[in-house]
Amino acid sequence: MAKFNGEIETEDTYVRVTFQALLEAVLPVTYRPRTGRGGDLIPVPGGVQLKLHEYLIRELDHSQFQPVNAPDGLPPLSRSTAQMLDLGAKQYIRRGLALPLTEGFPGGGQFTRLAPIDRLLTLELIDRLEIPLGELSLPFKNNPGLVQTMVNSFTQLPYFGYYCEWFGYGTTRFAPPADRRLQFAPPGWQLAGYPGPSFGYREFRGFLLTYPACQGGSQ
């Protein structure tokens, strides 16, 4: 990855656009009524607009599922995951279940060419292990438990990234934790009605213990 003005741009276009396609299906743009404007709808940004592909890629490549003693040449977990999504898409297309394919994301594979609803159905196909597990890259190869765990994370990690403070760190979001600064309220906080952290509370230093007066030599 390369760093530009405090942000990290994924050099692997294939991985980036595959995760963008995933987010477009899992967390698409939605619309809600504008306050005080009857019938007027305003767009609510989805996962692609908030660049959550960066969050997902970072989380996967630094996760516990990435083998510690990985053999030389093992691709990052994000790339192995993108390849698994593509293999699932190929299986889905072979079954004749897909809607007409789109042009997809430039630089992406078959998963990005599926309609969003078919991408979600491809996740279900993978979760049912209806793909050739032996053709997957490590660490997913012949590892059904990890495959299902990863598919399950696709319904969790995007929402963690959407509603946590990550996007609000702005240009500091890739800095070490101690150097991150909240630059603005993330859209997820506004949607959830969360006002943000409150500072200035007195530090909790334990409970105050009181003892009754000793009478007659007993407490």
Side-chain angles (χ1 to χ4, degrees):
M1 291 185 178
K3 188 171 182 179
F4 301 97
N5 299 322
E7 297 190 13
I8 290 182
E9 178 177 315
T10 304
E11 294 178 348
D12 194 331
T13 300
Y14 167 73
V15 172
R16 173 175 55 81
V17 299
T18 301
F19 278 91
Q20 287 176 326
L22 173 68
L23 287 166
E24 186 182 56
V26 174
L27 265 175
V29 174
T30 56
Y31 295 85
R32 63 183 178 88
R34 186 189 301 273
T35 304
R37 304 278 186 89
D40 191 9
L41 298 177
I42 58 175
V44 177
V48 174
Q49 288 69 38
L50 297 191
K51 299 183 179 181
L52 290 187
H53 63 277
E54 298 173 340
Y55 174 81
L56 295 181
I57 292 169
R58 185 179 180 85
E59 288 295 305
L60 292 186
D61 289 345
H62 293 82
S63 76
Q64 61 180 325
F65 301 120
Q66 184 72 5
V68 177
N69 299 318
D72 293 339
L74 183 69
L77 187 59
S78 58
R79 185 169 182 86
S80 298
T81 303
Q83 291 170 341
M84 179 177 69
L85 292 174
D86 253 354
L87 183 61
K90 291 175 183 177
Q91 290 294 108
Y92 187 80
I93 293 170
R94 286 194 191 109
R95 297 185 180 189
L97 301 173
L99 296 172
L101 301 182
T102 67
E103 293 184 359
F105 290 66
Q110 294 287 61
F111 184 77
T112 71
R113 298 187 63 203
L114 293 173
I117 183 60
D118 285 334
R119 294 174 209 161
L120 296 178
L121 293 174
T122 294
L123 295 183
E124 292 185 8
L125 182 146
I126 297 173
D127 189 48
R128 295 194 303 268
L129 304 177
E130 296 177 7
I131 57 174
L133 298 178
E135 296 182 18
L136 294 173
S137 301
L138 291 173
F140 299 111
K141 185 174 182 178
N142 295 322
N143 192 341
L146 183 57
V147 169
Q148 292 177 317
T149 297
M150 184 57 66
V151 173
N152 185 55
S153 73
F154 293 150
T155 62
Q156 299 178 24
L157 279 179
Y159 290 92
F160 291 162
Y162 195 88
Y163 288 103
C164 77
E165 71 280 5
W166 183 81
F167 187 74
Y169 285 135
T171 57
T172 69
R173 62 187 180 275
F174 291 107
D179 298 330
R180 296 173 188 170
R181 297 292 182 271
L182 195 65
Q183 297 179 345
F184 49 84
W189 285 8
Q190 300 172 31
L191 292 174
Y194 176 58
S198 296
F199 303 98
Y201 292 119
R202 296 184 65 181
E203 182 181 0
F204 177 69
R205 298 184 180 181
F207 295 99
L208 178 64
L209 299 179
T210 59
Y211 297 90
C214 295
Q215 298 180 356
S218 63
Q219 183 171 345

